[in-house]
Amino acid sequence: MDQLTKIDELVRKIIVEHELHLYEVSWHQENNMRILRIAIMKDDGTMDIDACALMSEAISSKLDEADFISGEYYLEVCSPGAERELRSREDIEKAIGDYVYIKLKNVMAKGLFEVYGTLVDIQDDIALIEYMEKAVHKKVKIELDNISLIRLAVKF
């Protein structure tokens, strides 16, 4: 079992006890600092600084106790962000009604290869998206298999 898997298992138990969800565990390098980034969120996809601080203390304590990470590192417990990637069908279904960005694997009719719009529905394996093009409301059906990336997007 690799180190990230061990960390994931240890952290997931703590996160679930606090009725939160683990989005990602990853290592990052910034200059000479090794960073263990743990992204967490509430059921509704939000996160606040107080919950991050509480989880940081709990996770840090458990990682110190387990003592299987060699060398120095910085622990960062954070939100996955307002524009987080939707990685599973469940994530996509939870995002119905949200504004999203979709990048397609294969170009659709009229040269459509990406779209910003509201995820209206998922039926079978098709996502229904409402979007604007030149001040005109449009709808498009996109097969889930044709999506190379879908993430939440901030609407300006």
Side-chain angles (χ1 to χ4, degrees):
M1 178 182 316
D2 71 346
Q3 189 179 56
L4 278 179
T5 304
K6 284 183 183 178
I7 296 169
D8 185 292
E9 287 179 0
L10 181 88
V11 168
R12 191 172 300 275
K13 290 176 187 174
I14 300 165
I15 301 297
V16 169
E17 287 173 7
H18 289 85
E19 298 178 1
L20 297 171
H21 297 278
L22 180 61
Y23 179 78
E24 179 177 52
V25 175
S26 57
W27 282 109
H28 298 270
Q29 187 76 34
E30 290 182 17
N31 298 319
N32 293 331
M33 179 60 72
R34 221 171 47 140
I35 300 170
L36 175 58
R37 186 169 296 147
I38 299 174
I40 59 175
M41 61 186 173
K42 296 179 181 178
D43 280 337
D44 64 1
T46 64
M47 184 55 16
D48 60 70
I49 193 79
D50 293 333
C52 284
L54 177 69
M55 290 296 89
S56 181
E57 289 177 25
I59 291 167
S60 179
S61 176
K62 284 291 185 187
L63 287 172
D64 288 348
E65 196 177 289
D67 195 30
F68 59 83
I69 301 173
S70 61
E72 292 185 21
Y73 66 94
Y74 176 77
L75 175 63
E76 178 182 287
V77 178
C78 60
S79 161
E83 293 192 327
R84 74 180 167 278
E85 183 179 348
L86 304 174
R87 297 178 171 171
S88 66
R89 183 180 176 113
E90 180 183 355
D91 286 350
I92 295 170
E93 288 173 351
K94 284 181 181 178
I96 290 174
D98 290 337
Y99 193 70
V100 297
Y101 166 75
I102 297 175
K103 184 174 180 179
L104 302 172
K105 293 177 186 172
N106 301 308
V107 177
M108 294 180 66
K110 298 183 184 179
L112 187 67
F113 63 93
E114 65 180 2
V115 63
Y116 283 91
T118 301
L119 176 60
V120 177
D121 197 13
I122 302 276
Q123 290 184 1
D124 300 318
D125 288 330
I126 302 202
L128 177 62
I129 309 296
E130 286 183 355
Y131 67 103
M132 294 285 289
E133 183 180 347
K134 298 180 183 177
V136 177
H137 287 278
K138 295 192 172 191
K139 291 182 181 180
V140 65
K141 292 180 178 181
I142 301 173
E143 293 180 15
L144 296 180
D145 287 346
N146 192 25
I147 295 175
S148 68
L149 170 72
I150 181 170
R151 65 171 171 78
L152 297 178
V154 176
K155 189 174 185 177
F156 292 98

